[in-house]
Amino acid sequence: MTEQTERPVAGPRPLASPRPLAAPRPLGENRLWPKSFADRLTAPLPGVRALARLAREGRLRPRAEALRDAAALPVAPGPLPAVDALTTAVTWAGHASWILRIGGLTVLTDPVWSRRIFGTPARLTPVGVRWEDLPPVDAVLISHNHYDHLDAPTLKRLPRDTPLLLPAGLARWARRRRFTRVTELDWWEAVELPGPAGPVRCDFVPAHHWSKRTLTDTCRSLWGGWVLTAPGGQRVYFAGDTGYGHWFERIGRRFGGIDLALLPIGAYDPRWMLGTVHTDPEEAVAACQDLGARVMAPMHWSTFILSAEPPLEPLHRVRAAWEATGRPREDLWDLPVGSSRVLPPA
């Protein structure tokens, strides 16, 4: 098991009154952006020496004996829960792909239904929900452009008039693929999606990460997470891909009363390489505390082999870290792939 660092174990931190939120921007707005977002990085990116060390240490994948545990990864696909316009429900399709039913809408986050993504072995676990079993998709939220979060083969399955909500700098990528309802946002900006019970607000928020898809586009587009607010006030935070840092407290202060935080717990080993861009399980629990979130659902594990930790280790560590906080066990939604939960009223 990788080395663990002592972290706070108190309950959710009291947060200041939320700041007024920005007025929503128009959907489909055409905008100009800087050529680079490298000034948003919160840590330097690994250089040639770091990559050479990674290759020398052979810490790219789990050891062969650890991979035998992959057969025990939790998978329990089931039907999507019945919802109405006042109900919020989540279903984990695997990795960072969620089916969010909120305000009468169906929203996908970072949808990856492909069996394989560029540069990695095939999926360890099947997609939790068959594509043909999805209800009509009302919008797609993308956190950043890495291949395990922005999957072109999956997006090509969607009607081209599906609304795509993207980080700044990604609209051209989507429009080249003939998507017609494309909106890109900067940090702390928002749009509203019309729904049967009223608008669902989608705020794009910062993350400790980076972007790159080709040899020449490092940090040419932005990265971040999303806060979705239902017409009735329930809030779901989708972190996307992120390391641990100051942004969690700032998000929690701005968006008071986050009901559910979808937080990444995998792809963290070795820490010297990945610690600034991927939370480990203990950091994810600390992030939930910083956010002041009522419930946490782990993600970004058990799907693709992206780093060296054993496949089941993130689950064991997040459960132990959660128990150490003394918070109710039922507020940790450590879902099997394909499972769903309905968010109870606050």
Side-chain angles (χ1 to χ4, degrees):
M1 183 174 289
T2 55
E3 181 180 355
Q4 301 182 31
T5 304
E6 292 292 329
R7 296 183 177 88
V9 295
R13 300 175 185 176
L15 300 173
S17 299
R19 295 176 54 184
L21 301 179
R25 299 191 69 93
L27 287 165
E29 184 180 14
N30 286 315
R31 306 179 66 180
L32 296 175
W33 301 106
K35 291 184 178 180
S36 174
F37 293 92
D39 61 320
R40 309 290 185 93
L41 293 169
T42 47
L45 296 177
V48 174
R49 289 186 179 180
L51 297 175
R53 176 183 173 184
L54 188 68
R56 186 172 62 250
E57 293 181 355
R59 298 288 299 281
L60 295 169
R61 299 286 185 263
R63 293 182 173 86
E65 58 271 19
L67 285 174
R68 298 192 195 101
D69 292 341
L73 290 170
V75 178
L80 297 178
V83 297
D84 57 28
L86 302 179
T87 304
T88 299
V90 297
T91 303
W92 190 34
H95 203 54
S97 302
W98 292 88
I99 303 157
L100 304 183
R101 318 283 293 287
I102 183 168
L105 303 179
T106 297
V107 178
L108 303 183
T109 68
D110 290 357
V112 181
W113 260 250
S114 299
R115 182 173 178 270
R116 185 185 297 272
I117 56 172
F118 179 74
T120 69
R123 301 176 79 107
L124 293 174
T125 50
V127 182
V129 178
R130 298 187 310 165
W131 187 262
E132 54 268 31
D133 292 337
L134 289 175
V137 176
D138 296 295
V140 171
L141 306 183
I142 298 295
S143 64
H144 66 298
N145 72 350
H146 288 161
Y147 282 89
D148 58 322
H149 295 260
L150 179 62
D151 184 51
T154 298
L155 293 183
K156 287 179 180 177
R157 298 185 180 198
L158 292 164
R160 294 305 186 268
D161 62 351
T162 303
L164 302 186
L165 306 188
L166 306 173
L170 273 180
R172 181 180 297 180
W173 183 95
R175 290 182 179 128
R176 283 203 307 265
R177 287 153 180 83
R178 305 195 307 280
F179 284 95
T180 59
R181 301 173 68 187
V182 178
T183 304
E184 50 186 350
L185 296 178
D186 202 345
W187 288 348
W188 307 121
E189 293 182 341
V191 294
E192 290 183 339
L193 299 171
V200 174
R201 182 180 171 107
C202 302
D203 286 81
F204 189 55
V205 295
H208 299 276
H209 206 59
W210 64 302
S211 69
K212 183 181 180 67
R213 198 166 177 89
T214 72
L215 294 175
T216 59
D217 68 348
T218 302
C219 296
R220 294 286 182 90
S221 61
L222 198 50
W223 53 91
W226 294 90
V227 177
L228 287 82
T229 305
Q234 284 190 319
R235 279 193 169 135
V236 177
Y237 166 63
F238 167 68
D241 215 349
T242 182
Y244 182 71
H246 65 280
W247 287 129
F248 294 111
E249 283 198 53
R250 295 192 186 183
I251 293 166
R253 285 200 301 269
R254 187 165 301 212
F255 299 93
I258 294 175
D259 294 281
L260 170 63
L262 311 174
L263 289 162
I265 65 168
Y268 52 78
D269 186 21
R271 295 310 287 152
W272 64 262
M273 176 77 169
L274 298 169
T276 58
V277 293
H278 287 163
T279 49
D280 66 20
E282 294 77 19
E283 289 169 336
V285 171
C288 184
Q289 310 277 79
D290 296 347
L291 291 160
R294 187 157 57 102
V295 177
M296 172 182 163
M299 64 172 182
H300 204 268
W301 76 285
S302 86
T303 310
F304 297 107
I305 299 175
L306 301 174
S307 56
E309 74 271 6
L312 276 169
E313 183 181 282
L315 180 62
H316 299 321
R317 285 176 56 172
V318 78
R319 287 173 172 172
W322 189 266
E323 183 179 7
T325 69
R327 298 181 63 176
R329 178 62 179 85
E330 61 268 21
D331 289 344
L332 176 65
W333 291 2
D334 46 344
L335 300 179
V337 173
S339 291
S340 304
R341 288 285 181 92
V342 176
L343 191 64

